[in-house]
Amino acid sequence: MSLSKLATLLLFSARALAHHSFAAEFDARKPVELKGTLVELEWVNPHAWIHMEVKDETGKVTKWDCELGSPNLLMRSGWRRDSLKKGDVIIVNGSAAKDGTNLANAKTVKLADGTRVFNAGSSGEAGTPGAPVQ
């Protein structure tokens, strides 16, 4: 095998391993609703990310990371890089990570006033491609 073919094979293998299925990391039976302040909207492949701070009833702030769909999927759903701005209060509904960390797969994202910011999750809404089977 030539060096260039080996390099190409390794590149695609690493990329395939980096991507995961919804069911491998998240539990559709563990819904979460997170209301907090957007720290950063990370617009990267294969999934965009929301990084937010959520305050509990005692005032303790916890950082949460919420996986979205790919930037391409988000743009086709009406998102733009500036759909959310740092400091926005947002509400994320989705599924919690299986391992109990502060990680979620965002299904929907709303502004504090309840305005929905389109479909968000890499799992998709029920009935759309990639949505988990309930």
Side-chain angles (χ1 to χ4, degrees):
M1 183 181 294
S2 73
L3 187 56
S4 63
K5 286 182 181 178
L6 179 61
T8 302
L9 178 65
L10 290 173
L11 174 67
F12 285 109
S13 297
R15 200 179 238 177
L17 290 173
H19 193 261
H20 58 89
S21 73
F22 170 87
E25 193 163 0
F26 303 101
D27 188 342
R29 295 168 298 177
K30 288 174 141 180
V32 293
E33 180 173 277
L34 305 167
K35 182 175 181 179
T37 304
L38 179 70
V39 173
E40 180 183 11
L41 174 59
E42 193 175 4
W43 200 261
V44 296
N45 278 312
H47 298 284
W49 289 88
I50 286 176
H51 304 287
M52 62 189 295
E53 292 180 338
V54 178
K55 236 184 238 186
D56 69 15
E57 57 280 346
T58 67
K60 179 183 174 201
V61 176
T62 305
K63 182 179 179 276
W64 277 81
D65 299 314
C66 302
E67 178 183 85
L68 300 170
S70 70
N72 185 26
L73 174 68
L74 295 175
M75 287 188 297
R76 289 189 320 223
S77 297
W79 281 66
R80 296 186 321 263
R81 287 179 187 253
D82 63 350
S83 292
L84 298 174
K85 294 166 188 58
K86 185 177 182 176
D88 282 351
V89 175
I90 58 174
I91 302 162
V92 175
N93 284 282
S95 298
K98 287 182 171 182
D99 66 6
T101 59
N102 293 346
L103 180 68
N105 179 277
K107 184 174 179 182
T108 61
V109 179
K110 297 177 190 173
L111 299 175
D113 67 3
T115 303
R116 188 171 163 160
V117 189
F118 307 103
N119 179 46
S122 60
S123 67
E125 294 276 357
T128 62
V133 178
Q134 302 285 330

